[in-house]
């Protein structure tokens, strides 16, 4: 099952990435022991010490092993792009048929919920509350530099590599997550 988080936040930074990842981990099916995250590699969004340092906290909190795989920044389109495009098409078609008017995230959420893709809405206000609850300010203050992170293709708590690594799990105990915010608004962190 695909799951998308929609938000009125235009910040695609360390805080939103960790809060959204935490929410997706809360929604994972029972019995999942390994989560493989696939994203492109912009340092302003994913490939930075803050998000990587948060992986251990999220892993412990949700009792899962997390690995993060990076493709080349701004290269190609992955499955997550197709899922987002599908939701945008659904919303566009409803607007064209005069079934709804979309003036914000709440309207978009109402237009696309209930389909094959699960949709969760996290407003800016809720995002701030969840970041506070996760104590991200303190967590980020303790984040240590990861030398050479921009060259890495795979990171897991306790394991980093510049080589591309993949794994196959035959016991159905892992899931893949693709996480990609809208590229139109990138913030540096």
């Amino acid at each position: 099952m695909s799951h998308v988080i929609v938000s009125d936040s235009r910040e695609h930074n360390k805080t939103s990435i960790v809060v959204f990842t935490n929410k997706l981990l809360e929604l994972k099916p029972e019995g999942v022991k390994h989560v493989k995250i696939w994203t492109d590699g912009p340092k302003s969004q994913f490939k930075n010490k803050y998000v990587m340092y948060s992986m251990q906290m999220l892993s412990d909190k949700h009792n899962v092993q997390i690995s993060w795989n990076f493709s080349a920044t701004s290269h190609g389109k992955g499955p997550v792009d197709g899922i987002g495009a599908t939701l945008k098409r659904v919303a566009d078609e409803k607007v064209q048929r005069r079934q709804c008017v979309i003036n914000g995230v709440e309207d978009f959420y109402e237009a696309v919920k209930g389909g094959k893709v699960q949709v969760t809405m996290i407003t800016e206000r809720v995002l701030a509350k969840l970041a506070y609850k996760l104590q991200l300010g303190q967590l980020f203050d303790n984040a240590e530099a990861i030398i050479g992170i921009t060259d890495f293709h795979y990171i897991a708590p306790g394991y980093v590599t510049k080589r591309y690594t993949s794994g196959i799990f035959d016991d159905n105990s892992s899931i893949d997550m693709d996480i990609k915010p809208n590229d139109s608004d990138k913030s540096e962190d």
Side-chain angles (χ1 to χ4, degrees), residues 22-42:
N22 180 66
K23 177 53 80 175
L24 291 171
L25 290 170
E26 287 175 354
L27 299 168
K28 71 177 174 49
E30 289 289 321
V32 171
K33 296 176 177 79
H34 188 163
V35 174
K36 296 178 281 182
I37 300 172
W38 298 86
T39 65
D40 59 358

Side-chain angles (χ1 to χ4, degrees), residues 56-77:
Q56 187 62 57
M57 178 271 295
L58 293 173
S59 181
D60 294 343
K61 181 177 191 274
H62 296 285
N63 196 31
V64 294
Q65 182 182 9
I66 299 173
S67 59
W68 204 300
N69 300 273
F70 301 100
S71 63
T73 301
S74 301
H75 283 77
K77 296 292 183 189

Side-chain angles (χ1 to χ4, degrees), residues 5-57:
I5 294 176
V6 297
S7 181
D8 57 349
S9 173
R10 297 187 54 80
E11 297 296 321
H12 300 146
N13 58 18
K14 61 190 179 205
T15 301
S16 60
I17 297 302
V18 175
V19 168
F20 295 164
T21 301
N22 180 66
K23 177 53 80 175
L24 291 171
L25 290 170
E26 287 175 354
L27 299 168
K28 71 177 174 49
E30 289 289 321
V32 171
K33 296 176 177 79
H34 188 163
V35 174
K36 296 178 281 182
I37 300 172
W38 298 86
T39 65
D40 59 358
K43 65 181 180 178
S44 64
Q45 296 169 355
F46 308 118
K47 199 185 274 191
N48 61 66
K49 67 180 183 179
Y50 307 106
V51 173
M52 296 303 104
Y53 195 75
S54 302
M55 285 176 58
Q56 187 62 57
M57 178 271 295

Side-chain angles (χ1 to χ4, degrees), residues 23-185:
K23 177 53 80 175
L24 291 171
L25 290 170
E26 287 175 354
L27 299 168
K28 71 177 174 49
E30 289 289 321
V32 171
K33 296 176 177 79
H34 188 163
V35 174
K36 296 178 281 182
I37 300 172
W38 298 86
T39 65
D40 59 358
K43 65 181 180 178
S44 64
Q45 296 169 355
F46 308 118
K47 199 185 274 191
N48 61 66
K49 67 180 183 179
Y50 307 106
V51 173
M52 296 303 104
Y53 195 75
S54 302
M55 285 176 58
Q56 187 62 57
M57 178 271 295
L58 293 173
S59 181
D60 294 343
K61 181 177 191 274
H62 296 285
N63 196 31
V64 294
Q65 182 182 9
I66 299 173
S67 59
W68 204 300
N69 300 273
F70 301 100
S71 63
T73 301
S74 301
H75 283 77
K77 296 292 183 189
V80 71
D81 297 300
I83 295 166
T86 297
L87 290 180
K88 290 176 186 176
R89 187 183 72 247
V90 166
D92 285 344
E93 288 173 356
K94 287 186 176 185
V95 168
Q96 288 175 357
R97 286 184 257 148
R98 300 182 192 272
Q99 293 175 332
C100 68
V101 174
I102 298 178
N103 289 315
V105 69
E106 293 89 357
D107 296 333
F108 182 83
Y109 171 77
E110 289 298 323
V112 299
K113 73 177 186 178
K116 292 181 180 179
V117 175
Q118 280 186 284
V119 182
T120 297
M121 180 174 57
I122 299 179
T123 63
E124 275 188 285
R125 186 175 49 79
V126 171
L127 177 68
K129 287 180 181 180
L130 293 173
Y132 179 79
K133 186 176 177 181
L134 289 170
Q135 301 178 342
L136 293 186
Q138 180 181 354
L139 187 73
F140 294 156
D141 287 344
N142 294 322
E144 297 177 17
I146 302 172
I147 306 302
I149 191 171
T150 56
D151 296 328
F152 292 175
H153 296 282
Y154 175 90
I155 298 179
Y159 182 76
V160 295
T161 182
K162 293 181 182 180
R163 290 175 315 192
Y164 181 77
T165 307
S166 63
I168 298 172
F169 299 86
D170 295 327
D171 60 359
N172 293 323
S173 65
S174 74
I175 58 174
D176 288 341
M177 295 171 63
D178 286 312
I179 302 173
K180 181 174 172 65
N182 183 342
D183 285 329
S184 64
D185 182 32

